[in-house]
Amino acid sequence: MIIVDKALERREQEGNPIRVAMVGAGYMGRGIALQILTSTRGIKLVAISNRTLSKAERAYRQAGIDRVISVETVFQLEEAIYNKQYAVTDDAVLLGQAEGIEAVIEVTGTIEFGTHVVLKAIENGKHAILMN
């Protein structure tokens, strides 16, 4: 086991997984969601943002998560995270603003839009992972 695996395992055991959110629920986004939700210990995909909410919901469903909550405000998103609910939104900026999110994965394939989302996340002290 490598160092990262041990660190993630420890966070899982402590009940403190890394809380990540993802922007984009296309082919690559669905694959990332599936990997995190089914095979990655110590990381929790707490929210997915997509222009079309049904596509964000589909990403969760394909990974075996049937119960998601739609949110429109930072407060609603933070409340969902606090209550250990999976959230979807069409407002990607919320992900960078929510206190309960540690990292934002940008998977839209749209450079300019993705840049705005990532800058908002960085402004709020979040890690950013870009797939573009």
Side-chain angles (χ1 to χ4, degrees), residues 1-10:
M1 190 177 280
I2 61 173
I3 295 170
V4 173
D5 292 334
K6 289 181 182 180
L8 290 173
E9 184 178 332
R10 185 172 49 255

Side-chain angles (χ1 to χ4, degrees), residues 42 60 65 67-68 73 83 87 94 103 115 118 124 126 131-132:
Y60 274 122
I65 306 297
R67 300 191 85 193
V68 298
T73 67
N83 291 320
L94 298 181
T115 301
V118 168
N124 287 286
K126 314 257 182 258
M131 298 305 290
N132 284 325

Side-chain angles (χ1 to χ4, degrees):
M1 190 177 280
I2 61 173
I3 295 170
V4 173
D5 292 334
K6 289 181 182 180
L8 290 173
E9 184 178 332
R10 185 172 49 255
R11 287 200 61 161
E12 181 79 22
Q13 290 171 351
E14 293 169 352
N16 183 29
I18 298 170
R19 293 172 313 278
V20 301
M22 185 171 65
V23 181
Y27 180 78
M28 191 182 315
R30 290 191 315 273
I32 291 169
L34 182 64
Q35 179 71 29
I36 291 172
L37 292 165
T38 63
S39 302
T40 308
R41 296 175 47 128
I43 300 176
K44 183 174 181 187
L45 182 61
V46 298
I48 300 174
S49 176
N50 199 76
R51 287 180 298 180
T52 308
L53 284 181
S54 62
K55 290 185 179 183
E57 293 167 352
R58 176 184 175 193
Y60 274 122
R61 251 192 339 274
Q62 287 182 333
I65 306 297
D66 293 324
R67 300 191 85 193
V68 298
I69 183 169
S70 179
V71 298
E72 296 178 357
T73 67
V74 173
F75 177 78
Q76 290 174 332
L77 177 54
E78 289 174 342
E79 189 174 64
I81 294 166
Y82 178 80
N83 291 320
K84 299 186 186 318
Q85 297 173 303
Y86 295 98
V88 295
T89 184
D90 60 2
D91 186 352
V93 173
L94 298 181
L95 306 181
Q97 297 172 325
E99 287 293 321
I101 294 172
E102 297 174 65
V104 175
I105 305 169
E106 195 285 319
V107 197
T108 64
T110 307
I111 304 298
E112 184 177 354
F113 175 76
T115 301
H116 292 289
V117 171
V118 168
L119 286 174
K120 184 55 73 176
I122 292 170
E123 286 172 8
N124 287 286
K126 314 257 182 258
H127 297 279
I129 300 98
L130 289 81
M131 298 305 290
N132 284 325

